[in-house]
Amino acid sequence: MAMTYEEIKAKVKKYGQEQVLKYVDVLTNAEKETLFAQIEATDMDVIECCKHKEDMAKRGVISPLGAMELSEIEANRESFTKTGIEAIKAGKVGAVLLAGGMGTRLGSDNPKGMYNVGITRELYIFECLINNLMDVVKQADAWIHLFVMTSDKNNDATIKFLTEHDFFGYNKDYVHFFKQEMAAATDYNGKILLEEKGKLSTSPNGNGGWFISLQKNGLLDLVHEQGIEWINVFAVDNVLQRIADPCFIGATIQKNCAVGAKVVRKAAPDEKVGCMCLEDGKPSIVEYYDMTQELMDAKNEKGEPAYNFGVILNYLFFVPDLEKMMENLPLHVVEKKIPYLDENGNLVKPEAPNGYKFESLVLDMIHQLSSCLPFEVVREHEFAPIKNKTGIDSVESARELLQKNGVVL
Ligand code: UTP
């Protein structure tokens, strides 16, 4: 049974969020119903955490975690690849494409994967990823289940686009979509903003929600039915991403790790990437903004920087260990540009951040697992993220890297 108007009023009062009902008198019954359903579904406890943001960012004791480096990988390539291919052939490997983000920095209203990186021809980000995955499908001679995480904001456009393009040649029986959850966005005082008179401002709740959302959408049943044991989670925006890489899979399996993480050697100690480490003795990632000078200067026994491997959002999780994960992921309070209605009820699209969104991150899942294999890959071959239109990690830099890797644009 849906909440009554009295119950809705009581809920928003309890959390000091009465402003969300400001326009309730001018809404139609249908609009009211939608707004009330949204208010009912919104977890308002999490919003409280922006009031003690600093405590949330507290870290444990950080110490180094070595990676499996290129030389070791080369020496074992054949054996790792064989193990990986066997796992794929046995249907034990699936992939999750994280495509629920808003891509605000790229500045397009479409899902990021619809971005055309081609120059003389059309070549979409989704197409690049599927081409990369197809390499493995051909090598293993087996299809791999691909789960695509979208959000309320881009789900329909994503499905329409991929369907219209016939999944760029991928077997559609092996593609499954699921939506992640949304979280309310607030101003700097923790007050939920409205984006319409009958609609809260919301944004996707971060890429850490992927496993719970997969489960809520009933797709974990498919994972079980198919006997999928390993899930390769990867970001939509790295067009050189190797997906379900047999060598990486084989190495993680042979080393008996709960998770594998693809990493690249950092370009400089202060490079803005999350870095693999141990935190209170468990695998973790130290974010670039938490990198102290001391951590940047630390050396290992070989005299090399001790925190030298950055993560590229490509992880291989062992499903049984994911299912044992009991703790909730920590929330990150992120400053963002949030469209909102001003005093007079007019929609404003701010040019600068004006409030907070609340996200959980996939990298926090690593810390809940007992063992992690950081697996080094060659940056120029596997890391071309598209975050911005120009400059660092942009369409321009990714095009250059694609061409260097022989992709015709
Ligand atoms: P980013 O952290 O780059 O966020 O996402 P974003 O939303 O795509 O881009 P900006 O910050 O607004 O410019 C890293 C990866 O995580 C996915 C993204 O789609 C991307 O593949 N992601 C992010 C989700 O799937 N859901 C989210 O809620 C956030």
Side-chain angles (χ1 to χ4, degrees):
M1 259 274 286
M3 274 180 162
T4 62
Y5 185 37
E6 288 312 311
E7 286 165 333
I8 291 288
K9 276 201 290 194
K11 177 170 180 180
V12 298
K13 183 156 188 276
K14 176 175 166 207
Y15 291 97
Q17 301 285 356
E18 290 95 329
Q19 77 286 353
V20 297
L21 294 174
K22 181 171 172 188
Y23 298 104
V24 77
D25 295 337
V26 302
L27 301 179
T28 63
N29 280 341
E31 287 167 340
K32 272 187 211 164
E33 231 173 82
T34 316
L35 176 66
F36 294 171
Q38 219 190 353
I39 294 174
E40 180 170 355
T42 298
D43 179 352
M44 296 192 183
D45 280 322
V46 305
I47 293 165
E48 298 286 306
C49 70
C50 71
K51 298 186 181 138
H52 46 92
K53 251 176 22 152
E54 291 69 29
D55 300 342
M56 311 245 328
K58 286 218 174 85
R59 305 293 309 237
V61 177
I62 306 291
S63 58
L65 171 64
M68 180 185 272
E69 298 184 18
L70 294 174
S71 52
E72 185 179 352
I73 296 169
E74 272 328 302
N76 295 283
R77 180 168 293 280
E78 220 174 288
S79 159
F80 290 158
T81 304
K82 185 166 173 281
T83 303
I85 293 283
E86 276 166 13
I88 295 168
K89 274 188 180 298
K92 290 184 183 169
V93 180
V96 169
L97 166 55
L98 301 172
M102 298 280 283
T104 39
R105 283 169 288 174
L106 191 56
S108 157
D109 283 338
N110 282 332
K112 223 181 207 183
M114 283 173 65
Y115 201 89
N116 179 10
V117 292
I119 297 171
T120 63
R121 61 172 185 135
E122 286 173 12
L123 179 67
Y124 300 97
I125 292 181
F126 279 138
E127 188 175 5
C128 293
L129 298 173
I130 288 184
N131 288 346
N132 297 351
L133 181 55
M134 280 301 287
D135 289 346
V136 178
V137 167
K138 284 186 196 138
Q139 191 185 355
D141 194 21
W143 290 100
I144 293 165
H145 283 282
L146 174 64
F147 301 89
V148 182
M149 182 166 87
T150 63
S151 80
D152 262 355
K153 306 245 177 195
N154 68 15
N155 181 65
D156 297 353
T158 303
I159 295 178
K160 184 163 174 274
F161 179 79
L162 285 171
T163 310
E164 275 171 8
H165 286 87
D166 210 11
F167 298 88
F168 295 106
Y170 209 74
N171 183 340
K172 70 175 183 340
D173 297 341
Y174 283 77
V175 183
H176 319 275
F177 296 93
F178 67 103
K179 275 201 247 179
Q180 70 175 106
E181 286 174 39
M182 305 296 283
T186 71
D187 66 13
Y188 285 134
N189 297 316
K191 298 281 180 199
I192 298 174
L193 294 164
L194 289 176
E195 71 185 22
E196 287 172 27
K197 291 183 175 165
K199 196 161 182 253
L200 311 182
S201 293
T202 56
S203 65
N205 68 347
N207 56 27
W210 73 270
F211 189 66
I212 290 170
S213 298
L214 189 81
Q215 190 170 23
K216 283 196 177 159
N217 284 272
L219 286 171
L220 198 55
D221 296 337
L222 185 74
V223 167
H224 291 149
E225 278 158 32
Q226 296 291 320
I228 295 171
E229 290 179 3
W230 295 92
I231 297 184
N232 185 193
V233 176
F234 64 99
V236 70
D237 43 31
N238 174 8
V239 283
L240 283 181
Q241 190 97 253
R242 303 310 305 171
I243 305 151
D245 171 356
C247 183
F248 175 45
I249 295 167
T252 310
I253 293 176
Q254 287 192 21
K255 293 291 166 190
N256 263 319
C257 283
V259 60
K262 284 208 166 185
V263 294
V264 293
R265 208 167 276 262
K266 278 168 60 173
D270 60 352
E271 194 192 358
K272 287 187 173 171
V273 292
C275 187
M276 284 296 329
C277 65
L278 293 173
E279 180 177 352
D280 294 334
K282 289 182 75 186
S284 189
I285 284 139
V286 52
E287 299 267 27
Y288 69 87
Y289 43 77
D290 284 334
M291 273 305 263
T292 58
Q293 195 59 45
E294 195 185 335
L295 292 179
M296 286 189 228
D297 293 342
K299 298 277 185 296
N300 64 16
E301 63 285 358
K302 287 190 264 175
E304 293 166 349
Y307 300 92
N308 206 16
F309 291 99
V311 286
I312 60 170
L313 226 177
N314 187 318
Y315 301 105
L316 182 72
F317 288 98
F318 187 49
V319 176
D321 282 336
L322 282 176
E323 290 181 291
K324 277 188 262 165
M325 238 187 234
M326 298 303 275
E327 283 168 54
N328 285 332
L329 293 176
L331 276 178
H332 295 253
V333 184
V334 191
E335 291 191 23
K336 267 281 179 204
K337 296 179 214 165
I338 303 155
Y340 69 101
L341 295 186
D342 66 11
E343 293 289 277
N344 307 317
N346 299 318
L347 182 67
V348 182
K349 285 193 172 174
E351 296 288 322
N354 61 320
Y356 298 127
K357 67 174 189 176
F358 301 84
E359 289 192 329
S360 62
L361 301 181
V362 65
L363 54 84
D364 286 317
M365 296 170 98
I366 309 294
H367 190 50
Q368 296 198 22
L369 297 167
S370 54
S371 54
C372 174
L373 176 73
F375 179 92
E376 184 183 8
V377 299
V378 180
R379 171 189 288 256
E380 292 73 27
H381 291 166
E382 298 204 22
F383 193 41
I386 298 181
K387 301 282 183 195
N388 309 300
K389 263 215 164 106
T390 54
I392 295 175
D393 294 345
S394 66
V395 179
E396 283 169 0
S397 61
R399 279 188 176 141
E400 209 173 296
L401 283 161
L402 278 166
Q403 281 172 325
K404 276 193 186 150
N405 282 278
V407 178
V408 178
L409 294 182

